[in-house]
């Protein structure tokens, strides 16, 4: 199992990452790929004293971030390193309204057009969506464009997980309520 040192623990409970069982004869290999309930899971291995790290591919054409492969964070709600979170359903892109106000949660503004049949035109609308932001994505700021995927309910208001991040130019980050479709 992957344990964080006590000085790196971020919450009150002791954090550890659940791993696959790896026999001692296989610990010298660089990487092991093994089936786990129909999904591919990979475990990074080094020498015998190395800390084990388990991650998986979420599919849908999204690559696993390097910080999820080599980082030392423990997040059970992360789609790559968590144990019970899978991305299914809607994939939404939007701009970040609030980052850092809540722990590992960001608020995204999703713009869309709604058709009004009476006037035969479209009206602009938006919704704010809360999403879990894994520690694999460092440096998400207000104004950045993120892609979120639907997962099981993680809390009362969070049912999405960040799966991709695109940094915006500093001049574009100041605009908060501009209607843009991504």
């Amino acid at each position: 199992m992957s344990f964080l040192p006590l000085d790196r623990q971020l919450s009150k409970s002791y954090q550890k990452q659940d791993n696959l069982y790896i026999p001692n004869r296989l610990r010298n290999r660089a990487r092991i790929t093994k089936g786990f309930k129909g999904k591919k899971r990979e475990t990074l291995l080094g020498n015998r004293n190395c800390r084990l790290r388990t991650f998986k591919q979420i599919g849908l054409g999204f690559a696993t971030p390097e910080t999820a492969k080599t980082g030392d964070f423990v997040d059970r709600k992360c789609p790559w390193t968590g144990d019970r979170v899978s991305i299914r359903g809607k994939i939404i892109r939007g701009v970040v309204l609030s980052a850092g106000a809540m722990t590992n949660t960001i608020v995204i503004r999703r713009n869309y057009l709604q058709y009004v049949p009476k006037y035969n035109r479209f009206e602009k609308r938006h919704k704010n969506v809360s999403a879990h932001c894994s520690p694999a994505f460092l440096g998400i700021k207000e104004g950045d464009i993120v892609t979120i995927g639907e997962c099981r309910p993680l809390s009362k208001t969070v049912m999405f997980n960040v799966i991709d991040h695109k940094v915006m130019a500093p001049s574009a980050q100041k605009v908060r309520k501009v209607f843009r479709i991504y």
Side-chain angles (χ1 to χ4, degrees):
M1 299 220 180
S2 177
F3 301 104
L4 278 177
L6 290 176
D7 59 341
R8 301 278 312 224
Q9 294 284 331
L10 301 175
S11 62
K12 293 181 181 179
S13 61
Y14 187 70
Q15 302 291 309
K16 64 185 175 79
Q17 183 186 25
D18 296 330
N19 278 322
L20 302 172
Y21 169 72
I22 300 168
N24 287 336
R25 62 185 168 83
L26 298 177
R27 288 186 185 250
N28 291 331
R29 293 189 183 176
R31 180 175 288 175
I32 293 176
T33 303
K34 190 174 184 180
F36 180 74
K37 294 185 181 178
K39 293 189 177 183
K40 278 190 172 179
R41 290 185 75 92
E42 298 181 12
T43 303
L44 287 180
L45 300 175
N47 57 12
R48 290 176 185 252
N49 298 329
C50 177
R51 184 176 50 82
L52 303 178
R53 182 99 177 137
T54 301
F55 59 93
K56 64 182 177 181
Q57 298 173 357
I58 62 167
L60 304 171
F62 294 100
T64 305
E66 283 300 317
T67 52
K69 294 178 183 178
T70 59
D72 60 352
F73 66 89
V74 175
D75 185 16
R76 297 191 69 134
K77 297 177 181 179
C78 176
W80 292 282
T81 61
D83 52 352
R84 293 181 184 91
V85 178
S86 62
I87 303 297
R88 79 285 192 281
K90 296 179 182 178
I91 304 292
I92 300 172
R93 185 174 295 156
V95 64
V96 177
L97 281 184
S98 170
M102 297 174 277
T103 305
N104 291 340
T105 304
I106 61 175
V107 178
I108 294 161
R109 180 183 172 107
R110 181 183 149 232
N111 298 320
Y112 60 96
L113 297 173
Q114 178 73 33
Y115 181 69
V116 182
K118 179 179 178 181
Y119 299 110
N120 196 19
R121 283 170 175 59
F122 291 91
E123 65 181 2
K124 297 174 184 176
R125 290 190 179 182
H126 81 277
K127 292 286 183 191
N128 291 344
V129 180
S130 297
H132 177 75
C133 183
S134 170
F137 294 105
L138 298 175
I140 290 185
K141 298 183 286 282
E142 293 181 10
D144 291 350
I145 296 175
V146 295
T147 304
I148 57 176
E150 188 180 7
C151 60
R152 67 174 176 82
L154 301 175
S155 68
K156 180 181 175 181
T157 59
V158 177
M159 285 159 263
F160 289 89
N161 229 317
V162 176
I163 54 179
D164 196 19
H165 172 229
K166 180 182 175 186
V167 179
M168 288 299 291
S171 61
Q173 288 182 352
K174 302 295 182 191
V175 181
R176 187 173 170 103
K177 291 192 174 183
V178 173
F179 187 84
R180 290 183 284 180
I181 296 181
Y182 306 101

